[in-house]
Amino acid sequence: MTTPGPGDSHRLIIVSNRLPIVLTKSAEGKWQVKPGTGGLVTALAPVLKNRGGMWIGWPGVASEEGGDLDKVFTAETKNFGYQLKAVNLTKEERERYYEGFSNEIIWPLFHDIVAYCNFSPEYWVAYQHVNRKFAVVVKQNLGRKDFIWVQDYQLMNVAAYLRELGVAARVAFFF
């Protein structure tokens, strides 16, 4: 199945913290891609497989370790029925945005356990920066008729940054 290119059809673009895959390195040092598991992957991967589209997210490795993952994704996911696009994050970005702001502030706040919050200003700066990075990758890969689905609290600001970047496409946010 060939995935339509930008502007060709009404693609579904899923944007989540993680891509729906697990990356491992072989003994020879080559990346291997395997489908991920979990509720989001179980629910949305079949939809994308049947109708085509793209999944944008962090590949699970720091940008310092990853190399050119686009080539790996193209070769390894040809039977997925949709494209993968990585948002590359440094180890520091990952620590401050995900482990820091998302897990040490938002998660406890949203679960009414404020005593567990670790309010650190650099976490907020990293959260904004990474949400902007996601928005830029979405814009770079978006067709004029595409529908964007942003998933969960790690990416609450992506839609606002998409609008700042001039993206007028329909955007849904699932929390």
Side-chain angles (χ1 to χ4, degrees):
M1 169 187 243
T2 304
T3 303
D8 294 344
S9 68
H10 299 274
R11 295 182 308 164
L12 176 61
I13 309 296
I14 304 294
V15 186
S16 67
N17 178 57
R18 283 292 304 267
L19 286 171
I21 50 100
V22 176
L23 276 175
T24 56
K25 273 199 173 175
S26 68
E28 299 81 34
K30 293 187 178 193
W31 286 113
Q32 297 174 322
V33 177
K34 295 184 179 170
T37 59
L40 186 64
V41 175
T42 302
L44 295 180
V47 174
L48 284 179
K49 183 175 178 81
N50 290 331
R51 71 182 316 267
M54 180 177 286
W55 198 309
I56 296 172
W58 181 62
V61 295
S63 57
E64 299 91 347
E65 307 168 300
D68 188 0
L69 293 176
D70 283 340
K71 288 181 183 176
V72 173
F73 293 156
T74 300
E76 296 287 327
T77 62
K78 52 187 158 218
N79 295 325
F80 275 33
Y82 58 94
Q83 298 171 309
L84 298 179
K85 185 55 77 173
V87 177
N88 295 309
L89 302 179
T90 65
K91 185 178 180 202
E92 182 178 298
E93 287 171 336
R94 177 73 177 161
E95 288 171 357
R96 291 181 178 180
Y97 140 80
Y98 182 73
E99 294 169 19
F101 196 82
S102 296
N103 290 344
E104 291 185 24
I105 298 174
I106 298 175
W107 194 92
L109 276 175
F110 287 6
H111 290 85
D112 201 26
I113 45 179
V114 178
Y116 289 161
C117 290
N118 179 15
F119 295 102
S120 180
E122 69 264 10
Y123 290 171
W124 172 239
V125 172
Y127 185 81
Q128 293 176 89
H129 173 73
V130 169
N131 272 245
R132 276 190 202 101
K133 276 181 107 167
F134 272 82
V136 166
V137 172
V138 170
K139 182 178 180 182
Q140 290 170 343
N141 291 281
L142 191 63
R144 65 184 180 278
K145 298 178 183 177
D146 291 343
F147 180 83
I148 305 163
W149 171 301
V150 179
Q151 177 70 31
D152 229 339
Y153 63 95
Q154 296 94 351
L155 301 172
M156 287 189 293
N157 292 346
V158 167
Y161 293 131
L162 285 169
R163 296 300 185 237
E164 282 181 12
L165 293 168
V167 171
R170 294 174 299 153
V171 179
F173 177 75
F174 186 82
F175 183 70

